[in-house]
Amino acid sequence: MRRPMVAGNWKMHGTCASVAELIGGLKQQSLPADVDVAVFPSALHLAQAVSGFAGAVAVGAQNCAYEPQQGALTGEVAAIQLLDAGCSLVLVGHSERRLLLGESDELVVRKFAAAQSVGLTPVLCVGETLAQREAGETLAVVAEQVAAVIEALGVKVFANALVAYEPVWAIGTGLTASPEQAQQVHEAIRAQFARLDASLAGELRILYGGSVKAASAAELFGMPDIDGGLVGGASLNADDFGAICRAAGS
Ligand code: PGA
C-alpha cells in the first residue's frame, strides 16, 4: 500500500508574519496519521517552517542548485544547505521554472541528482501545456520528461523520489483535471516505470497537482494511481489545506 502525501507549494508567497500565521493555523488542524504532510515555503522561510513545525510536518524547498555542495554560485541554494536547514524534500522541474525560467530537462536532471546525492528526496514535477493537450501530446510529453531522468540516472533513483503530475493548464487557473483525465496520465506514468521495474512502480508515489481544492480532493485522491496532491493556492489557507490532507486519509 502506498502512503499518500499531501504537499503544499507556497510558491513566492509569504512574509515572516503571514508564514507564522499559516504555521500556527496548520498546527491547529487535525492532520490524518496515515498521510505524509509536507510544505514547500520560499527559501527565505524554510528555517521558520522547520522550527515552527518541529517535525510535525515535513519541510521541502521549491528548488535547489545544480551543484549539491557549497560553492561560488551567487543567488543559488545548495542541496547540502537545504539539508542543513532541516529540509527533507525538494521540488525539481516545476512547470513555472521550466516555462518561465527556462529550465531544461538537462538542468532538471542535474538538480534531481544533486538533491539525492545529499539525501534529499526529489519530487519530479511533470506536465503538459494546454496546446500540447489539445494536440494530443499529453502522454508523450509527460513520458519524455520522466524518461529524461530515467535515462540519465537510471530507474532505481525513483526508489527515493516522488513524481508530481501537474498539467500546466490546471495550475493556478481554477481548472482541475477531471479525476479520469488525471488517472489516465498517472496510470501511464506508472506503466512507464513498470516496464523497467515492476516492484518500484508499485511503490512509487505519484501526486496530482493543479487547482486541487478541498471540494475536488477526495475524488482525485480516490483514483487508483493518484497517491495524494501537490497543492498551490489552497495550501495558503490552513483550513483548506487541512481539509485536503484529511481527504487523502482513509
Ligand atoms: P495550484 O498550484 O494548486 O495553485 O494550481 C499547484 C502547483 O503549481 O504546485
Side-chain angles (χ1 to χ4, degrees):
M1 233 353 242
R2 296 182 295 269
R3 188 177 158 85
M5 177 183 282
V6 176
N9 175 8
W10 295 355
K11 306 195 180 185
M12 198 170 64
H13 292 289
T15 59
C16 295
S18 75
V19 165
E21 198 179 319
L22 183 52
I23 293 170
L26 283 171
K27 288 166 76 175
Q28 304 287 308
Q29 295 290 316
S30 84
L31 297 174
D34 55 354
V35 175
D36 288 336
V37 178
V39 295
F40 293 80
S42 82
L44 207 53
H45 301 113
L46 289 171
Q48 194 182 349
V50 168
S51 69
F53 286 117
V57 166
V59 177
Q62 298 171 16
N63 179 42
C64 66
Y66 60 76
E67 291 289 352
Q69 301 297 329
Q70 297 180 48
L73 205 50
T74 302
E76 290 293 282
V77 180
I80 195 76
Q81 293 175 303
L82 297 173
L83 188 75
D84 178 59
C87 292
S88 53
L89 299 152
V90 59
L91 300 181
V92 292
H94 190 281
S95 63
E96 285 152 14
R97 300 197 62 86
R98 290 179 189 265
L99 297 170
L100 305 175
L101 297 168
E103 277 195 14
S104 63
D105 275 335
E106 190 191 3
L107 189 54
V108 170
V109 165
R110 290 184 70 182
K111 291 182 175 192
F112 187 108
Q116 271 195 343
S117 77
V118 305
L120 293 177
T121 300
V123 179
L124 174 69
C125 302
V126 297
E128 82 288 2
T129 63
L130 184 58
Q132 290 166 330
R133 175 161 283 266
E134 286 173 345
E137 296 167 1
T138 298
L139 297 183
V141 166
V142 168
E144 210 175 289
Q145 290 169 339
V146 170
V149 180
I150 295 177
E151 281 164 19
L153 305 176
V155 70
K156 295 281 186 214
V157 297
F158 283 91
N160 295 308
L162 290 88
V163 174
Y165 167 58
E166 300 201 302
V168 176
W169 50 272
I171 294 180
T173 57
L175 295 172
T176 314
S178 69
E180 294 72 24
Q181 280 174 320
Q183 166 59 24
Q184 186 200 23
V185 181
H186 283 236
E187 193 179 341
I189 294 170
R190 199 177 305 286
Q192 182 176 2
F193 281 97
R195 286 193 288 277
L196 300 168
D197 188 329
S199 89
L200 182 149
E203 299 286 317
L204 178 68
R205 291 185 288 179
I206 308 175
L207 311 182
Y208 169 79
S211 298
V212 175
K213 302 283 180 256
S216 59
E219 240 197 310
L220 284 162
F221 300 162
M223 301 309 277
D225 289 296
I226 300 183
D227 307 309
L230 180 55
V231 185
S235 72
L236 297 171
N237 178 294
D239 290 337
D240 290 348
F241 188 66
I244 294 169
C245 292
R246 289 188 290 276
S250 54

